[in-house]
Amino acid sequence: MDTAPAHGFDDDFFKQLQTGERGAHANWKASPENALNALQQAWQVHYPALGASHLQEMASDCRHWPLDEWLGQLGVQLAGQALALYTLDFGDDSHTLVVLPGSQAAVFEAAAQAGGHVAQRCLADASTPPPAPATRLPHATPVRISMQPMQGSALDMHGPTIAFASAPVYDTQKPWAWWDVHEWPPRLQALENLPVMVAQTDAAAPMCIAFFTSKRPGDPLHLHCAAQPRPPQGHAQDLPQPAYLKGVADPKIAFAGADLLLAERTKAWVYRGLAHQPTHAQPQAVLDLPPATLRHGKVTGFARTGDGRTLLFAGSQFFVWNGETFLPTGIFEHDLSCRLKTAPLHGDSWAWMDARENLKTASLGDGVVQTHRVENMACHITLAPAPPGWLVLLRDANLLCRDDMAQLWHLPSQTVLRIGEGALGKLDIFYWLQLPNGHVVVADDKKALDLGPFDDLVHDLKSAGA
């Protein structure tokens, strides 16, 4: 494939880029590895520097980076070889990637502008170095494991599931319903309106569930509580809500003992003793951060440590609940995309996923944040409940890829156990339930499988991967 002439870039050159006859093309969702492969196929014959091994290693190390950010880092590397990397936007979902000698950059930009094209040079700001490399954990081998169907009636999920927590699972077919996994197989209980999110007390407090509902997606939210995991229709109690929440679409709730905590962006409230006396609970303000903190991040969410302490993430900082108010921990996270995905670890530590799909851990004791790179999993990873010391990572089941469906991490021993594509036959893992009897149940949108006790599953995975 010919490069552009040194004296200029004519209309035919840009037309061929737009039609795909020239250049490299990568969907904006493509991984850095796929984008580099496209660049090499299109341009390496003219610019052998694209085949350097360190570029392949960089693409692999940054495989879950947003493509635009990685292209900026690649542009820095190519600039060191007197090359320039550009993207052109022709109004579709793909990046058109052009490599050319750096000496022709100004001519190319002028020609693109004259032709009405938007050409953006990929060159990361030198004052913003890439993040430090994440900790690598040992590789393991994906395995196919034998499964037994659940005893009793199967769990049928009709249609997409729109909300999920460690206790209930929701179904979107009217009448709205949940299953309580403390009894298995679960029984359905209808609710009048669409449940949006849920919080449940732990074993140390009286049984109580709080949840929001709305009549339709986008409608105002209403907060309710009930003393039973499956309240009879109409027996859930409405709770008073702070006036600030009127029209707010994404509040968060969590229990700390018998207290219900409610948060939205930079504000938080507590319903003290809700699990004991739900009829008398009123919201009391316990946190009001300056609005300027929203500049650092708008994500809000609750987390829990391994020893049961409740954390609030707001204004890019973690706060810990001390029974009266939220205290700053001094632990910050500035790299979250849209929501906090978290799970407890051992003791006073917890884990979460950042926007680059790195696993991060921290503890209240030392305040140190550690970063661990996740390998062999596609993006949009979530965390699922697991026994103390363990983490379960699930991939987005809607992605078309052959990466692992799930991984079991044990950080103290630096162990990663992988459940590869096809390990459960045709079943994909949308949900991972840790039952009170110690069994693990995985489910997709049609059926579920009982994988047996968690310890037995770990033993089988270790044996198969040995």
Side-chain angles (χ1 to χ4, degrees), residues 403-414:
D403 282 359
D404 295 345
M405 296 190 294
Q407 292 183 1
L408 280 58
W409 285 48
H410 189 257
L411 291 173
S413 64
Q414 298 283 282

Side-chain angles (χ1 to χ4, degrees), residues 206-209 224-227 237-240 255 258 271-282:
M207 169 64 75
C208 187
I209 284 181
H224 316 274
C225 71
Q237 176 181 325
D238 296 341
L239 290 176
F255 274 99
Y271 294 80
R272 298 191 187 279
L274 177 72
H276 295 294
Q277 293 182 316
T279 58
H280 297 93
Q282 294 288 330

Side-chain angles (χ1 to χ4, degrees), residues 235-315:
H235 281 61
Q237 176 181 325
D238 296 341
L239 290 176
Q241 296 176 207
Y244 176 80
L245 289 188
K246 186 176 181 180
V248 170
D250 195 27
K252 301 295 191 295
I253 52 177
F255 274 99
D259 299 334
L260 177 67
L261 302 172
L262 167 66
E264 206 286 323
R265 294 200 178 183
T266 60
K267 300 179 184 293
W269 299 263
V270 61
Y271 294 80
R272 298 191 187 279
L274 177 72
H276 295 294
Q277 293 182 316
T279 58
H280 297 93
Q282 294 288 330
Q284 301 175 21
V286 289
L287 185 70
D288 189 359
L289 298 175
T293 58
L294 287 179
R295 293 199 308 265
H296 305 297
K298 299 181 180 180
V299 179
T300 304
F302 287 102
R304 193 176 296 274
T305 63
D307 55 12
R309 281 181 274 188
T310 301
L311 304 166
L312 169 64
F313 181 78

Side-chain angles (χ1 to χ4, degrees), residues 3-4 43-51 83 99-101 104:
T3 60
W43 298 106
Q44 187 176 338
V45 64
H46 306 292
Y47 308 113
L50 284 167
L83 297 175
V99 180
L100 50 94
Q104 297 185 32

Side-chain angles (χ1 to χ4, degrees), residues 61-62 65 130-136 358 370-373:
D61 288 343
C62 303
W65 279 36
T135 304
R136 289 176 178 265
N358 289 315
Q370 295 184 335
T371 303
H372 310 273
R373 192 179 73 178

Side-chain angles (χ1 to χ4, degrees), residues 160-180:
T161 299
I162 53 89
F164 171 72
S166 58
V169 183
Y170 294 106
D171 186 287
T172 57
Q173 294 294 315
K174 287 188 176 182
W176 310 115
W178 67 35
W179 293 277
D180 174 27

Side-chain angles (χ1 to χ4, degrees), residues 39 67-80 83-88 95-99 105 108-109 119-125:
L39 278 166
L67 184 58
D68 286 341
E69 294 185 24
W70 179 79
L71 289 173
Q73 296 295 331
L74 177 61
V76 172
Q77 297 292 321
L78 294 180
L83 297 175
L85 173 64
Y86 283 87
T87 64
L88 284 92
H95 288 293
T96 298
L97 305 175
V98 178
V99 180
F108 174 75
E109 291 178 12
Q120 180 70 42
R121 184 162 185 181
C122 302
L123 199 60
D125 185 353

